[in-house]
């Protein structure tokens, strides 16, 4: 079943989440029509490889053309129209930046996997609950409502300013008319009436000026309150959601809504600023004692300018007037001087112009693709003396500076990245990622570069939720409650992970009891194993993985002989093993485990083929496959058949000549089991043996001799 088919079977509350991240960047129609093809492509790799991304984009358009040809035969006019429009949009939007479409599709697929994993969880974790609280949604609606109300109010003051202009023009006309009258006419009754009319008009003009300025003051007050309360809170929540998303958590597409709110406010404030400038022109043409414009306009203008400046500092304003060259300068640790012994500079093009072409939604953006940090030489000592943990606990910050000139305003802007870890060797990558996880789980502060001077503890429930995200985002399937319970038991003595805290040292620095590695090193090696060697089996849910030996025996003891399960090794880094159950002649339950397979072995032989071809030599020396049913009762071939890479291996006789006269040969895994043993067999008994070699041995040696040889210490790895 494709991932998309699984998505379509979700409950409506999960389908609503899926609907949020499909838009014109990647329309849902394309996801639906090309589901299998899309899932078979490596979009994640293409997002960092321009050549690969270009090929995939071209192939995507070819697939769309094929679909157009198919629906044209069916005469589905609506679908034909939509596909033509989508093809045109995709080609125009991503032609100059093919890697962006790879990023978009990769994110969508990742988010689908996360939602599928969440749907399989008994409850949402505490972090995800906090991101989806009803109070947050209510505040979002309130923000949008208030922004809309402010925009409407500014439109009303626009009409007021126009009315003031018309009223003043009429007053000016009447006043000049009186000035041109003869001296004799100025003493008659008509003249007196005209003067009274002018006085009434002046009173009305004064009242309207005061009323308009009062409305403008109210708008500024409401905007100020909105920006410094709900809008800032909404922005902080979005930043927190970004922190969570960067460590595998749920993606939230709330940035477009935020950008719309900031842009509407900026447009309203610029409009208000122009209205204040018009009032100044009117006051210059005609003023009087008690005129409110000279008294209030300058203060209002300063407040409006200050609000505009603060809006621009959030970098979320999208105005056509900004669509010209705006340069951005990148630097590292700009405001930091004493945090660590290592100093870096950025090499490459660190000043670039923002461009609409590098964005998918018409916003100005810039991408620094080829910046490289270079460590500066320090007289304080050699970096080689620094331990791995010391290096991976150093946090650094990338700063971006720009200057915008708009409507006579010059605005200097500066923003910084979330903390980053600089590594000098790929071996430091796992611990560096652990630092990023711990930081973003434990704090909302986006710039605490001394965090690891005294790292706080994290709640176990939050941490386990993030561990599940690592699996859902990186290998396509999250962890269920049983798997999380096993991890909780490994981290603590508790069997429940709903309470308690965990220290940074326990997570990443202290070795597990009796082991030479930490919990995180063990878990990260499993992620790497899944990604590179058993990914399809993991996604299908056939790898139980996280189960203790004790729980393993409890699950298998009452099952049919030949029932087996797949478990990650607790003693070997990046190892996976299988254990099966059978019965002795007297009915005693026996369990057998093989030596864990690591990436070296799995690189030579696919794991599904190992499960299919695995053999044991029992007491009667007849090789047979003991693996019959995947726990709880799934026939082995039904579970893994689609993942077999070749036909089952048959033992070849020496007389069966293969290519160029050689005897055909393949490698199969074989173990020996002694009939008098009820303990799991030694992992070192597992040996790869060519079927043809085994056939020769059977013909030339007695069963006793073969068994004696396989028990020899020289046969072990």
């Amino acid at each position: 079943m494709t991932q998309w088919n699984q998505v379509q079977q979700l409950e409506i509350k999960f389908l609503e989440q899926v609907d949020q991240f499909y838009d014109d960047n990647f329309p849902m129609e394309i996801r639906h029509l090309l589901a299998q093809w899309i899932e078979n492509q490596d979009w994640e790799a293409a997002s960092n490889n321009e050549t690969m991304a270009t090929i995939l984009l071209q192939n995507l358009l070819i697939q769309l053309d094929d679909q157009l040809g198919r629906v044209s035969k069916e005469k589905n006019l609506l679908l034909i129209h939509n596909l033509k429009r989508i093809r045109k949009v995709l080609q125009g939007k991503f032609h100059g930046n093919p890697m962006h479409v790879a990023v978009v599709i990769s994110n969508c697929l990742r988010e689908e996997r996360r939602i599928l994993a969440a749907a399989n969880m008994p409850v949402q974790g505490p972090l995800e609950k906090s991101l989806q609280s009803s109070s947050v949604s209510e505040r979002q609606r309130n923000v949008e409502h208030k922004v809309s109300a402010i925009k409407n109010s500014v439109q009303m003051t626009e009409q007021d300013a126009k009315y003031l202009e018309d009223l003043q023009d009429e007053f000016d006309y009447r006043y000049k008319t009186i000035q041109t009258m003869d001296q004799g006419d100025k003493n008659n009754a008509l003249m007196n009436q005209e003067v009274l009319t002018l006085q009434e008009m002046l009173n009305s003009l004064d009242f309207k000026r005061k009323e308009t300025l009062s409305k403008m003051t109210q708008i500024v007050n409401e905007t100020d309150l909105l920006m410094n309360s709900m809008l800032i809170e909404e922005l902080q929540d979005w930043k927190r959601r970004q922190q969570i998303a960067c460590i595998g958590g749920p993606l939230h597409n709330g940035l477009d809504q935020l950008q719309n709110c900031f842009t509407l406010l900026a447009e309203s404030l610029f409009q208000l600023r122009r209205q204040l400038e018009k009032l100044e022109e009117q006051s210059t043409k005609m003023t009087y004692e008690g005129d409110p414009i000279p008294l209030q306009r300058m203060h209002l203008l300063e407040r409006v300018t200050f609000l505009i400046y603060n809006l621009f500092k959030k970098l979320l304003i999208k105005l056509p007037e900004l669509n010209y060259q705006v340069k951005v300068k990148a630097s590292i640790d700009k405001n930091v001087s004493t945090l660590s012994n290592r100093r870096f500079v950025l090499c490459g093009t660190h000043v670039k112009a923002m461009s609409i072409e590098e964005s998918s939604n018409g916003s100005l953006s810039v991408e620094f693709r080829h910046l490289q940090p270079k460590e500066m030489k320090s007289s304080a000592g050699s970096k080689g003396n620094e331990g791995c943990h010391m290096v991976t606990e150093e946090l650094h910050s990338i700063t971006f500076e720009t200057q915008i000139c708009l409507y006579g305003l010059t605005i200097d802007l500066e923003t910084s990245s979330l903390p980053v870890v600089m590594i000098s060797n790929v071996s430091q990558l796992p611990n560096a990622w652990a630092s990023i996880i711990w930081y973003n789980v434990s704090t909302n502060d986006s710039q605490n570069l001394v965090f690891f001077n005294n790292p706080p503890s994290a709640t176990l429930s939050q941490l386990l939720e993030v561990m599940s995200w690592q699996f859902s985002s990186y290998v396509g399937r999250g962890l269920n409650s049983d798997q999380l319970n096993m991890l909780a038991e490994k981290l603590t003595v508790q069997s429940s992970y709903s309470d308690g805290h965990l220290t940074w040292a326990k997570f990443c620095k202290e070795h597990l009891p009796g082991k030479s590695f930490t919990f995180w090193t063990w878990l990260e090696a499993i992620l790497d194993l899944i990604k590179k060697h058993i990914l399809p089996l993991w996604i299908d849910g056939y790898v139980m993985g996280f189960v203790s030996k004790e729980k393993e025996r409890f699950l298998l003891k009452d099952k049919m002989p030949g029932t087996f399960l797949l478990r990650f090794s607790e003693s070997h880094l990046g190892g996976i093993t299988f254990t099966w159950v059978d019965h002795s002649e007297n009915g005693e339950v026996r369990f057998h485990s093989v030596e864990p397979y690591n990436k070296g072995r799995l690189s030579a032989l696919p794991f599904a083929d190992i499960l299919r071809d695995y053999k044991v030599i029992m007491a009667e020396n007849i090789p047979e496959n003991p693996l019959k049913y995947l726990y709880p009762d799934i026939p082995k071939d039904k579970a893994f058949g689609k993942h077999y890479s070749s036909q089952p291996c048959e033992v070849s006789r020496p007389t069966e000549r293969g290519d160029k006269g050689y005897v055909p040969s393949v490698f199969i895994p074989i173990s020996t089991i002694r009939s008098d043993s009820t303990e799991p067999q030694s992992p070192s008994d597992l040996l790869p043996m060519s079927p043809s070699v085994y056939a020769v041995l059977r013909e030339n040696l007695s069963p006793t001799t073969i068994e004696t040889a396989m028990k020899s210490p020289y046969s072990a790895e």
Side-chain angles (χ1 to χ4, degrees), residues 367-543:
E367 183 176 357
F368 293 91
R369 298 182 186 178
H370 306 295
L371 274 184
Q372 290 186 337
K374 181 178 179 181
E375 186 171 354
M376 300 172 63
K377 299 295 182 181
S378 172
S379 59
S382 170
K383 65 181 179 183
N385 296 328
E386 298 182 68
C388 177
H389 281 293
M390 182 176 178
V391 170
T392 57
E393 290 176 6
E394 284 182 4
L395 300 179
H396 302 266
S397 179
I398 309 296
T399 301
F400 302 95
E401 303 169 79
T402 189
Q403 187 178 83
I404 295 175
C405 297
L406 186 67
Y407 302 142
L409 296 177
T410 299
I411 304 172
D412 294 309
L413 304 175
E414 182 177 296
T415 187
S416 297
S417 68
L418 285 169
V420 298
V421 176
M422 313 294 283
I423 63 174
S424 56
N425 190 290
V426 71
S427 64
Q428 297 169 348
L429 181 58
N431 283 336
W433 183 241
S435 297
I436 296 298
I437 289 175
W438 199 268
Y439 182 93
N440 288 295
V441 166
S442 305
T443 180
N444 296 346
D445 189 344
S446 62
Q447 286 298 300
N448 183 7
L449 301 186
V450 295
F451 175 84
F452 282 103
N453 286 357
N454 184 25
S457 61
T459 65
L460 192 56
S461 56
Q462 286 183 341
L463 191 60
L464 290 171
E465 182 182 13
V466 174
M467 293 303 97
S468 182
W469 289 345
Q470 304 311 297
F471 283 82
S472 61
S473 62
Y474 188 60
V475 292
R477 187 182 184 90
L479 305 180
N480 60 33
S481 56
D482 290 333
Q483 293 167 323
L484 291 174
N485 269 316
M486 188 272 186
L487 294 182
E489 291 170 1
K490 201 163 187 68
L491 282 167
T492 69
V493 296
Q494 306 174 36
S495 60
S496 169
Y497 57 84
S498 59
D499 298 306
H501 287 74
L502 194 73
T503 65
W504 165 243
K506 185 80 171 177
F507 177 70
C508 189
K509 301 179 77 170
E510 297 175 2
H511 288 175
L512 290 168
K515 303 295 188 297
S516 61
F517 45 80
T518 67
F519 171 83
W520 172 250
T521 301
W522 172 74
L523 194 70
E524 195 277 337
I526 290 173
L527 280 165
D528 188 61
L529 173 81
I530 295 173
K531 183 73 170 181
K532 295 179 179 177
H533 299 289
I534 59 170
L535 185 61
L537 279 60
W538 173 260
I539 290 177
D540 284 349
Y542 292 144
V543 181

Side-chain angles (χ1 to χ4, degrees), residues 144-342:
E144 292 175 357
H145 174 75
K146 289 183 178 296
V147 168
S148 178
I150 288 172
K151 183 175 178 62
N152 291 334
S153 296
V154 172
Q155 295 296 344
M156 295 297 293
T157 56
E158 183 75 25
Q159 297 177 18
D160 291 340
K162 185 65 170 64
Y163 176 78
L164 272 172
E165 187 176 14
D166 293 341
L167 185 61
Q168 184 165 319
D169 286 344
E170 184 180 356
F171 178 89
D172 188 58
Y173 173 77
R174 287 177 174 269
Y175 181 78
K176 289 180 178 178
T177 300
I178 293 178
Q179 292 297 101
T180 59
M181 285 184 178
D182 295 334
Q183 188 64 33
D185 295 335
K186 292 182 178 180
N187 298 322
N188 59 29
L190 182 60
M191 178 62 180
N192 293 334
Q193 183 62 43
E194 191 66 23
V195 170
L196 290 175
T197 302
L198 281 175
Q199 185 61 52
E200 291 175 359
M201 289 183 67
L202 182 59
N203 292 340
S204 178
L205 186 67
D206 180 65
F207 174 80
K208 198 63 180 178
R209 282 185 175 183
K210 291 177 179 177
E211 182 185 53
T212 300
L213 286 166
S214 177
K215 289 180 180 180
M216 290 179 174
T217 301
Q218 183 64 27
I219 291 172
V220 172
N221 290 339
E222 291 175 357
T223 303
D224 195 357
L225 180 62
L226 176 62
M227 286 176 55
N228 290 290
S229 57
M230 289 190 290
L231 200 58
I232 295 301
E233 289 176 10
E234 189 66 24
L235 183 59
Q236 292 299 328
D237 279 351
W238 179 83
K239 289 182 177 180
R240 180 58 178 160
R241 291 193 291 268
Q242 284 297 102
Q243 280 188 273
I244 296 303
C246 92
I247 55 173
L251 291 171
H252 290 272
N253 288 349
L255 188 60
D256 287 343
Q257 290 90 332
L258 267 177
Q259 178 179 266
N260 185 56
C261 289
F262 274 87
T263 299
L264 287 177
L265 277 181
E267 290 175 342
S268 297
L269 288 172
F270 275 122
Q271 188 175 1
L272 198 61
R273 196 169 185 269
R274 290 191 293 270
Q275 292 171 10
L276 287 169
E277 290 171 352
K278 286 185 178 180
L279 289 182
E280 182 185 24
E281 293 175 3
Q282 294 175 19
S283 181
T284 301
K285 291 179 180 179
M286 190 199 77
T287 187
Y288 49 87
E289 186 178 353
D291 184 357
I293 293 179
L295 298 175
Q296 301 180 38
R297 190 197 68 86
M298 183 54 69
H299 178 63
L300 268 179
L301 185 61
E302 289 174 352
R303 291 188 64 192
V304 169
T305 302
F306 181 74
L307 291 175
I308 290 173
Y309 178 80
N310 282 336
L311 277 175
F312 267 91
K313 284 173 61 178
K314 310 306 175 182
L315 298 174
L316 282 172
I317 296 176
K318 179 182 175 182
L319 294 176
E321 293 84 351
L322 290 175
N323 294 349
Y324 62 93
Q325 193 175 79
V326 178
K327 290 187 177 181
V328 179
K329 177 183 178 182
S331 58
I332 186 168
D333 293 341
K334 175 177 179 287
N335 300 316
V336 179
S337 58
T338 59
L339 288 183
S340 74
N341 293 325
R342 300 193 302 161

